Amino acid sequence: MGKTLAEKILGSHAGHDVSAGEIAIAHVDLCLFQDGTGPLAIRQLEKLGVDKLANPDRVVFFLDHSAPSSRKELSNDHKFIRDFCRKTGAQLSEVGKGICHVVINEDYVVPGQILIGADSHTCTGGALGCFSTGMGSTDVAIGAAYGKSWFRVPESFKVYVTGTFPLGVFPKDLILHLIGTIGADGATYKSLEFCGPTIEEMDMSSRFTLSNMAVEAGAKAGLIASDETTKKYLESRGRGDKWIPLKADSDAEYERVIEIDVSTLAPTVSYPHTVDNTYTIDEAAGIKIDQVFLGTCTNSRTEDWEVVAKIVKGKKIAPGMRFIAIPGSVEVMKEVMDLGYYKTLVEFGAVMVPPGCGPCVGIHGGIPADGEISLTTMNRNFHGRMGNPNAEIYLGSPAVIAATAIEGVIADPRKYAKELKTIGKPQIVDTMALKAVAQSAQKTIERVASDTATVLGPRAKEASDTVEKVARKATEQYGPKVRKAAEDFEKTLTKLAADATRAIKDALSSKPPKNSTKKATKKNAAKKNTAKKKAVKKKAAKKVVKKKAVKKVARKAAKKTTKRTGRR
Amino acid sequence: MLKGKAWKFGDDISTDHIAPGRYFHLRSDLPELAKHVLEDADPEFASKMSAGDFVVGGNNFGLGSSREHAPTIIHLAGVSAVLAKSFARIFFRNSINVGLPVLICDTDQIDAGDELEIDLETGRIKDLTNGKELEFKPLPPTMIKILNDGGLVSHIKKHGDFKLD
């Protein structure tokens, strides 16, 4: 009889073949703690008299649940953890580095291994083909000390996924739908194995979303085969050498097979106060929401930010709506900054909280008021979860929270078809930002031009024509990659304008410096030159929308100016 | 023999009900945290229960977070056992590790306030109020060993390793 993923991995770590239902003592490769569960684990180790860990390089403490600390008691817990890491050589992921389940998969989790974590969403690592499961502080403490733990080898459910996601429907909808179907205890003690053509084509970020929520159906693990996508992900994290291929045997035995065709799914929302309390968006649409939250180990990766950024770009947040946004890790934060998503969300009206768990555990970063209703990308919506038992939590995909933030009530993201179609495309042309830059540039130019005219008079036109010609030519060559070009252009132009204004002021006001005719001449030349450039830009500005060209010209002009004027 | 009063709770009592996140800062002060045990399911439970009483839940008791503080503070508050139709996995395992008996039985047969008498050895529950007798599912042998040693830390202390055979 073939083996499931769970049986294969647990067997390889127990040193003998295992089958579902057996109890096995297995070697563990990696242990995770966070600031809520770490202190208790350390105290258990103290009780045991353990001061050495089996493999401190593979024991990681994350400060993420209250990060930065919101109270002195928690600051003391953080300090307690830091001291322990220093003493034992355990790894420390500091405040602001990110959520344990995001960072550990970026930097530590390896296919075919076993990860135990003192946090229920440790199952996220199953997406990389690692047997990853949540346990309590004591179990993981003993795992860290002795390098092993006991496991009941779980029976497995095969979740066979086919079809293509309709526009506006995402893996989050798939996992909410699954939990709504089998129930919040539908897979208690089982291992979920996600497979099928849709999973094979899914990127890692989406796979993490699925595995992350396995525990919300009661499952012990949410496993996915290690394949080329896994390999590429590890390579992108500089860990390509850790990859191994791993999949279940084709004749493995499953307790249950669940087939889902995602092309039949709709955006799905969990109502308070259990995750399996699911409704489709048609039923949920219209519920008034006070706060949306993009973040948590379920949906805080770059791909999630992309969905939201592309939907909300250039729009305004609904009046009275609050929007909390938290990147899952500092790596994600840098990426979404580079890609412009961070700025898009700030401009839309989101409040940025540093990488970490934020309000998901109800300690800080956006605790709702009595009677308020939140819609979040979190993985659970239990009574009191966000720190207030008198508030309600709905769960949905990043797309649903984006549409909702725009409309103020739970809204169907599928109506944003045009925006949704740009997801996955590498570059957004930022027309709004571009317009703003162009307007600002135009103003600068006009101001400079009027100054210049005073000095230069009719020769301005001649210069302007030349530049226009150059601009036109450059536009043909460079095409539409305009945003950065326009920004550079504006920077250069502002500098030029400042230089020119200074030069003009000098020229108009004072007598040339007494004893330096040479210098004075130079200065005049510079003035002329700069002024020329300015006039030139004036015309060019009208074509500002063809920015790249302008950038080139501006650069050239800037170079020239520096050369000619030198530094005074 | 355990004896005490039944405190009834419904289905899906999560670890957030048991040890609310807003008291996260008390996790290094367990006696203080225990004053809030089950607060979001029944705000008066902690102040009204007596040592030896039982927590009686429905389906999927203890779902959610892995926080071991949840069974720890139930234990610390003086509850002698938790009875439920089913338990979430991590809570179940944590309870054994901290030495809190968790019993699977048909809790629909028990009403709030009933006086119960429970024999862990024989697996029998006697409802002294309505006269019914119930059985609970015996724990897996691995867990009985850990529970009998007084939890996982004591088990490891005693044997120097896992001794589950």
Side-chain angles (χ1 to χ4, degrees), chain A residues 419-463:
Chain A
E419 290 86 343
L420 288 164
K421 279 180 190 153
T422 67
I423 291 166
K425 309 256 161 64
Q427 200 61 49
I428 8 175
V429 176
D430 192 341
T431 46
M432 289 300 285
L434 199 60
K435 231 187 220 167
V437 171
Q439 272 164 4
S440 148
Q442 177 102 25
K443 262 185 210 149
T444 311
I445 288 163
E446 276 163 14
R447 181 164 40 80
V448 173
S450 93
D451 289 347
T452 307
T454 326
V455 180
L456 205 62
R459 289 181 59 198
K461 187 177 181 314
E462 186 190 322

Side-chain angles (χ1 to χ4, degrees), chain A residues 253-276:
Chain A
E253 196 175 328
Y254 292 93
E255 185 176 309
R256 185 173 169 189
V257 177
I258 300 162
E259 291 184 29
I260 301 177
D261 174 1
V262 298
S263 67
T264 65
L265 299 182
T268 300
V269 170
S270 295
Y271 281 31
H273 294 288
T274 54
V275 183
D276 58 2

Side-chain angles (χ1 to χ4, degrees), chain B:
Chain B
M1 187 80 74
L2 307 173
K3 208 172 161 182
K5 194 171 124 183
W7 291 82
K8 283 274 278 191
F9 296 87
D11 291 339
D12 297 319
I13 296 298
S14 75
T15 55
D16 281 282
H17 286 109
I18 302 167
R22 66 181 176 283
Y23 300 120
F24 202 92
H25 60 288
L26 296 177
R27 288 188 181 189
S28 285
D29 186 357
L30 294 171
E32 199 54 36
L33 186 61
K35 292 182 185 166
H36 302 282
V37 64
L38 278 157
E39 186 173 293
D40 283 353
D42 177 357
E44 297 186 328
F45 171 73
S47 56
K48 291 199 169 162
M49 63 134 333
S50 309
D53 284 353
F54 302 102
V55 166
V56 180
N59 278 311
N60 208 17
F61 190 95
L63 81 159
S65 143
S66 73
R67 64 192 74 155
E68 196 172 300
H69 313 73
T72 304
I73 60 173
I74 292 178
H75 195 41
L76 211 58
V79 171
S80 55
V82 180
L83 288 62
K85 286 193 238 174
S86 65
F87 288 92
R89 181 187 72 87
I90 305 177
F91 181 87
F92 194 69
R93 186 168 170 140
N94 281 344
S95 298
I96 302 301
N97 283 347
V98 305
L100 173 69
V102 272
L103 313 177
I104 299 170
C105 60
D106 179 10
T107 52
D108 285 345
Q109 306 303 317
I110 302 168
D111 290 320
D114 284 1
E115 287 292 328
L116 307 180
E117 206 174 73
I118 299 179
D119 188 340
L120 289 178
E121 303 294 318
T122 61
R124 296 205 155 271
I125 300 167
K126 212 169 169 185
D127 189 324
L128 302 174
T129 308
N130 65 18
K132 285 183 188 167
E133 281 214 19
L134 302 171
E135 282 187 6
F136 59 82
K137 238 170 104 177
L139 289 170
T142 310
M143 292 191 146
I144 290 179
K145 285 195 183 83
I146 296 171
L147 195 60
N148 285 344
D149 282 338
L152 189 60
V153 168
S154 310
H155 173 87
I156 296 280
K157 241 183 177 168
K158 187 168 157 190
H159 305 285
D161 200 345
F162 290 103
K163 196 94 188 159
L164 303 174
D165 304 332

